[in-house]
Amino acid sequence: MSFENFYQVISAVKEMPPCRLCVAAAAEESVLEAVRDSRKEGLVDFVLIGHEEQIWRQAMTVSLNLQGIEIIDLTDPVEATRRAVSEVSEGRADILMKGMVNSSDFLRAVLNPDGGMRRDRILSHFAIYEVPGYYRLIYMTDGGLNVSPKLEQKVEILRNAVEFLQSIGIAQPKVAVLSANEKVDPKIPSTVDAQALKEMAAEAFPGAVVDGPTPLDIAVSFESALHKGIESPIAGKADLLLVPNIEAGNILGKAIIYFAGGRMGGLVLGASRPVILTSRNEPPMGKMASIALAAYSVVRNRKG
């Protein structure tokens, strides 16, 4: 199914059995705000790992009632992250979330071959956008982790995203492999990669409808495709935007937020379980949407 907005995701998760989310280095105000709001909605059960005294102090600041929430007291953020990863990798929790710890230390713990959450996949960022005036959520990858991926990496990035979309009920994700225009041009490497991804789609991404190279306007506007005389199975219907590099994804994402007033959630895919890694200035609603979407995937997979 396609969600129209963040509230639909949250409402769907509220009807499901709760799963368990573990926060690494949890003494971080904006993260605890998301914990507060998610707990009020009954989305997931929490375990908070970090400096217990600081967690209590910051919880009071954001009016979070910690009664009934498990807290594991570890004052060192790196040690707290390792313990949080262990909670997830050993099955005591279902989702991992980053708190007040350096991103490189956080990802290093996730990828640790000894007790981490590594799989035979690269990690990739998966963003969820709620755009005012647009009729449903739209997803984008990878505007957050892989800087300038080669074709082989794009295959893995796209596979991560397609499988996640299928896990939340979009059986045939429509994928737009973005570039500057719809024609293959050897001078624009992203168009060459887009054609290759389209040609290998049936074998590499079963169930997905992949088209490219695709300009952004064609991906999100059927009227634009009609006006330009472009026929595409994903014209105006793209679920997922695959950006050519981190710069394009970063610029597009910030344009959605700052020019269009959009809201964003984000996950890291490719590990054994969903990982939530949002920026510190991400509003609590974005973090809560990330939690809800991760939980929705976990519970659906558990049922399946």
Side-chain angles (χ1 to χ4, degrees), residues 142-143 147 245-252:
D142 174 359
V147 176
N245 53 47
I246 198 170
E247 293 167 320
N250 183 278
I251 293 169
L252 175 57

Side-chain angles (χ1 to χ4, degrees), residues 236-301:
K237 299 183 289 186
D239 300 297
L240 175 68
L241 308 176
L242 177 68
V243 295
N245 53 47
I246 198 170
E247 293 167 320
N250 183 278
I251 293 169
L252 175 57
K254 287 179 178 175
I256 290 172
I257 293 168
Y258 291 101
F259 287 151
R263 298 194 288 192
M264 172 190 169
L267 304 174
V268 172
L269 305 179
S272 59
R273 293 294 181 97
V275 175
I276 300 173
L277 189 159
T278 54
S279 63
R280 290 179 61 187
N281 65 346
E282 185 72 35
M285 173 53 78
K287 290 184 171 70
M288 186 162 66
S290 304
I291 290 168
L293 202 66
Y296 189 75
S297 169
V298 166
V299 177
R300 277 183 56 90
N301 282 340

